Amino acid sequence: MTSEQLILELTLTAWKAQLKRADQLFQSFTDEQLQSDIAPGKNSGFYLLGHLTATHDRLFELLGLSTRLHPELDAAFLSNPDKSGLPVPPVAELKQYWTDVNTKLNDHIAKLLPSDWLQRHTQVSAEDFVKEPHRNKLNVIISRTNHVAYHLGQLVWLKK
Amino acid sequence: MTSEQLILELTLTAWKAQLKRADQLFQSFTDEQLQSDIAPGKNSGFYLLGHLTATHDRLFELLGLSTRLHPELDAAFLSNPDKSGLPVPPVAELKQYWTDVNTKLNDHIAKLLPSDWLQRHTQVSAEDFVKEPHRNKLNVIISRTNHVAYHLGQLVWLKK
C-alpha cells in the first residue's frame, strides 16, 4: 500500500465510522423519540435525519456518481429550517431513505480509484479547478464527515 | 505538489478550519454565557472549552511533539463529567490556555514533514504498528477534527 492509498483509507474509514455511529443512534430511537426536539426550541431528531439524508443524497451528483434518489427532501430538510410545515415523509419511510442513500453511496464510493478522489467535484469548473485543486471529491467527503460529527454532537442529546 | 502532499493539506486544512470555527465561537461568548449550560442538564460551554483544551493539550505527547502545557486540566475536564466540583481555573485563564495550546500545537504541526504524519503515535508500540499502520499521527488529527466538529454542534446552541 502506498502512502497515498493509506491516507485515502484513513479518510474513508473516518467517513464510514461517523456514518455508522449516526446510523446506530438513529436506529436506537423509537419513532416518538425521533420526532421530539433535542432541546427546547432546537431541531428534532427527525429533522436531522432528513437533513443528513438529503445532504448525503446530494453527493451522488456532487461526486458525479449517479442521479440522486430523493431530491424531494431538499425543501423541508435543506432549504428550510425545522417545523416549516412543508410536506415530509412518514418516519419509517425517511429511515428507509437514510439507509438506501448511504448504502448506495458507499457502494459507489467503494468503486472509486485513488486517482478519482483528487478529481474535481461537479460544482467546480475545469478552469477554476486548475487554480483550486483542493475542490476535489475527497475534500467533499472530509467536509461531510465533519458535518455528520457536528450533528452527532446534537443527536446524542436526544432523550431516550 | 504530489497527491500525497495535497491530501495531507486537505486534512490539515480541515483541522484548522474546525479549530478556527470553535475559537471564533468561544471568543464570541461573554464569561457568563460561557458558564451557562447549553441545554437543561447538559454541559456548560465552559466545560467544553476545558474539555477541548485538555484534549488538544494531550496531543503534544501523543504526537511526540513536546511535553504538554496543562496536565492539571484532565481531572476536571477529561476524567470527570461537568459539575464534578473539582478545581478549575478562572474563565479568562482557561480561555488563554485554549489559545496557548492551539497556537503552540499548530506551530509544531507546521514543522512536521509529510513522512512524519504516517509514523506511529506514541501510544502504539513499534510491534503493533507493523500490523496496524493506521495508528499514525495523521489519524489522530482526523479523529480530533471530528471531535471538535462534534462539540461545535453543541456549542452553537449556547445562548448568546
Side-chain angles (χ1 to χ4, degrees):
Chain A
M1 189 183 281
T2 65
S3 297
E4 185 189 350
Q5 286 170 327
L6 176 60
I7 304 176
L8 274 173
E9 194 174 284
L10 298 180
T11 307
L12 296 175
T13 299
W15 159 252
K16 284 181 268 186
Q18 295 296 322
L19 263 191
K20 187 177 176 184
R21 213 175 146 192
D23 189 54
Q24 287 174 335
L25 205 50
F26 282 130
Q27 303 306 339
S28 73
F29 297 125
T30 63
D31 291 359
E32 199 183 351
Q33 285 164 343
L34 198 62
Q35 287 175 296
S36 64
D37 290 345
I38 296 170
K42 303 302 179 193
N43 293 325
S44 65
F46 178 77
Y47 181 80
L48 290 185
L49 174 63
H51 176 72
L52 287 169
T53 304
T55 300
H56 296 176
D57 192 48
R58 289 178 83 155
L59 292 179
F60 289 113
E61 295 178 356
L62 188 57
L63 300 178
L65 303 171
S66 75
T67 53
R68 54 187 295 197
L69 304 178
H70 296 290
E72 77 281 6
L73 298 178
D74 287 13
F77 297 110
L78 280 178
S79 320
N80 288 285
D82 198 2
K83 302 161 189 71
S84 64
L86 287 165
V88 292
V91 184
E93 211 167 294
L94 187 60
K95 273 186 166 175
Q96 190 58 52
Y97 293 176
W98 158 257
T99 301
D100 294 346
V101 165
N102 291 321
T103 303
K104 189 176 173 193
L105 192 57
N106 285 333
D107 285 349
H108 275 284
I109 278 176
K111 289 177 203 144
L112 290 181
L113 301 172
S115 56
D116 294 329
W117 283 108
L118 295 184
Q119 299 305 307
R120 65 188 166 103
H121 62 65
T122 61
Q123 293 300 303
V124 63
S125 69
E127 194 183 19
D128 287 345
F129 189 59
V130 173
K131 294 170 281 178
E132 300 169 304
H134 63 279
R135 299 177 70 181
N136 55 46
K137 297 179 184 185
L138 188 66
N139 216 12
V140 171
I141 286 293
I142 291 173
S143 163
R144 292 311 177 277
T145 303
N146 283 306
H147 181 250
V148 177
Y150 178 94
H151 289 301
L152 263 173
Q154 301 170 339
L155 282 164
V156 292
W157 282 353
L158 188 62
K159 279 201 185 65
K160 284 197 210 175
Chain B
M1 191 186 280
T2 65
S3 297
E4 184 187 352
Q5 285 170 327
L6 176 59
I7 305 176
L8 275 171
E9 193 174 285
L10 298 180
T11 308
L12 296 176
T13 299
W15 159 252
K16 283 181 268 185
Q18 294 297 322
L19 264 191
K20 187 177 175 184
R21 214 176 145 191
D23 189 53
Q24 287 174 336
L25 205 50
F26 282 130
Q27 303 305 342
S28 73
F29 298 125
T30 64
D31 290 359
E32 198 183 353
Q33 286 164 343
L34 197 63
Q35 286 175 296
S36 65
D37 290 344
I38 296 170
K42 304 302 180 192
N43 293 327
S44 64
F46 178 78
Y47 181 80
L48 289 185
L49 175 63
H51 177 72
L52 287 169
T53 303
T55 301
H56 296 177
D57 192 49
R58 289 176 82 155
L59 292 178
F60 289 112
E61 293 177 358
L62 188 56
L63 299 178
L65 302 171
S66 75
T67 52
R68 55 186 298 197
L69 304 180
H70 294 290
E72 76 281 5
L73 297 177
D74 287 13
F77 297 110
L78 280 178
S79 320
N80 289 287
D82 199 2
K83 301 160 190 68
S84 64
L86 288 164
V88 293
V91 184
E93 209 167 296
L94 186 59
K95 275 185 165 176
Q96 190 59 50
Y97 293 175
W98 159 258
T99 301
D100 294 346
V101 165
N102 291 322
T103 303
K104 188 175 174 194
L105 191 57
N106 285 333
D107 285 350
H108 275 284
I109 279 177
K111 289 178 203 145
L112 290 181
L113 301 173
S115 57
D116 294 329
W117 283 108
L118 296 183
Q119 298 306 308
R120 66 188 166 103
H121 60 66
T122 61
Q123 292 301 301
V124 62
S125 69
E127 194 183 20
D128 287 343
F129 188 60
V130 173
K131 294 170 281 178
E132 301 168 305
H134 63 278
R135 298 177 71 182
N136 54 49
K137 297 178 185 185
L138 187 67
N139 216 14
V140 171
I141 286 293
I142 292 173
S143 163
R144 293 312 177 275
T145 304
N146 283 305
H147 181 250
V148 177
Y150 178 93
H151 290 301
L152 263 174
Q154 301 170 338
L155 284 164
V156 291
W157 282 354
L158 189 62
K159 279 198 186 67
K160 282 195 213 177

